């Protein structure tokens, strides 16, 4: 039982390049989330998927797109990376709504030059 | 805009003492409250959750919730150097699929 996994662990991009961050969970959770965390700041929600087949914007969705590929996988795409997207990205999952615990992946450290 | 506020710290506590971490929230209707611990360079991990007013104890950790005053706190008894981390407070948001996060309090336990 690996929990929540993310790939890659670290990535360097040039401004304007694109990339997709991958996330998978093996806990049969319904909801999945993408956050970014910048130094000295809390977690900011980019997008979430309450259940397979649905996605919704969070607090900071601009410059990102997501795909809920199936119940296990939720990917985050940067179409044209900008230095302001330099951050640590965390994927999380939650079994159900309503006060449940979110479980986090190990994170992807992204540097955009 | 719903908010969760935490003192960023760092909070320095001697080993063996009680560490007290506080969090206030703006939405009076919030029902679920979480404390996560995040070691440097690692992902957040859940320590405790609390739904009802009062105290909830789990080992050396006690969460306290006061809905009337809109604050939630975390007490760590017999603090150990391994407790040194950033502690994130999270509160259920508008949608019960979302959490609103505080910026975290950095705790340093001095041997």
């Amino acid at each position: 039982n690996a929990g929540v996994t993310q790939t890659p662990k670290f990535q360097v991009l040039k401004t304007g390049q694109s990339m997709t961050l991958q996330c998978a969970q093996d806990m049969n959770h319904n909801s999945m989330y993408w956050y970014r965390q910048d130094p000295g700041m809390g977690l900011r929600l980019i997008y979430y998927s309450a259940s397979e087949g649905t996605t919704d914007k969070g607090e900071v969705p601009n410059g990102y797109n997501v795909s809920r590929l199936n119940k296990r996988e939720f990917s985050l795409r940067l179409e044209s990376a900008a230095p302001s997207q330099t951050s640590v990205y965390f994927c999380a999952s939650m079994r159900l709504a309503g006060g449940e615990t979110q479980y986090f992946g190990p994170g992807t450290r992204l540097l955009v030059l | 805009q719903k908010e969760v506020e935490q003192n960023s710290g760092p909070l320095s506590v001697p080993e063996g003492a009680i560490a007290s971490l506080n969090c206030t929230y703006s939405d009076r209707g919030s029902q679920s409250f979480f404390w996560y611990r995040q070691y440097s360079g690692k992902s957040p991990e859940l320590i405790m959750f609390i739904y009802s007013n009062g105290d909830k104890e789990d080992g050396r950790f006690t969460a306290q919730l006061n809905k009337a005053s809109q604050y939630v706190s975390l007490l760590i008894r017999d603090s150990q150097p391994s407790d040194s981390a950033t502690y994130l407070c999270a509160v259920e948001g508008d949608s019960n699929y979302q959490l609103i996060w505080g910026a975290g309090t950095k705790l340093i336990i001095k041997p």
Side-chain angles (χ1 to χ4, degrees), chain A residues 33-36 43-48 56-61, chain B residues 97-99 101:
Chain A
Y33 303 80
W34 276 106
Y35 292 96
R36 61 178 287 173
L43 295 161
R44 292 188 290 169
L45 183 65
I46 304 172
Y47 272 93
Y48 69 101
D56 286 286
K57 294 178 180 179
E59 181 185 357
V60 289
Chain B
Y97 294 102
Q98 294 188 44
L99 294 177
W101 295 83

Side-chain angles (χ1 to χ4, degrees), chain B residues 81-96:
Chain B
S82 59
D83 295 325
S84 297
T86 295
Y87 289 80
L88 302 171
C89 173
V91 175
E92 193 175 5
D94 278 332
S95 149
N96 57 11

Side-chain angles (χ1 to χ4, degrees), chain A residues 65-86:
Chain A
N65 286 299
V66 291
S67 296
R68 182 75 182 265
L69 304 169
N70 47 55
K71 191 171 185 178
R72 291 186 63 248
E73 298 172 288
F74 188 38
S75 63
L76 177 73
R77 183 160 178 85
L78 287 69
E79 290 290 353
S80 179
S84 60
Q85 294 178 305
T86 293

Side-chain angles (χ1 to χ4, degrees), chain A residues 31 33 35 37 40-43 45 48 50 90 94 97-102 104-105 109, chain B residues 1 32 34 36 38 41-44 46 49 51 88 92 95-99 101-103:
Chain A
S31 303
Y33 303 80
Y35 292 96
Q37 187 175 39
M41 299 185 71
L43 295 161
L45 183 65
Y48 69 101
F90 289 104
M94 184 169 75
E100 295 260 339
T101 301
Q102 291 188 11
F104 285 81
R109 282 152 183 78
Chain B
Q1 179 76 5
S32 305
F34 303 83
Y36 283 76
Q38 186 175 26
K42 301 296 185 182
S43 56
L46 181 75
F49 58 86
Y51 304 140
L88 302 171
E92 193 175 5
S95 149
N96 57 11
Y97 294 102
Q98 294 188 44
L99 294 177
W101 295 83

Side-chain angles (χ1 to χ4, degrees), chain B residues 28-95:
Chain B
R28 191 171 285 278
S30 295
Q31 298 291 321
S32 305
F33 307 86
F34 303 83
W35 282 102
Y36 283 76
R37 177 177 61 200
Q38 186 175 26
Y39 291 116
S40 181
K42 301 296 185 182
S43 56
E45 55 179 345
L46 181 75
I47 298 176
M48 293 189 71
F49 58 86
I50 185 167
Y51 304 140
S52 304
N53 265 337
D55 295 0
K56 179 181 179 183
E57 188 174 317
D58 183 1
R60 295 187 297 112
F61 299 93
T62 299
Q64 298 176 318
L65 175 60
N66 184 322
K67 289 187 177 181
S69 300
Q70 294 176 242
Y71 80 79
V72 56
S73 60
L74 179 71
L75 302 179
I76 307 174
R77 290 183 299 281
D78 189 23
S79 297
Q80 303 297 311
S82 59
D83 295 325
S84 297
T86 295
Y87 289 80
L88 302 171
C89 173
V91 175
E92 193 175 5
D94 278 332
S95 149

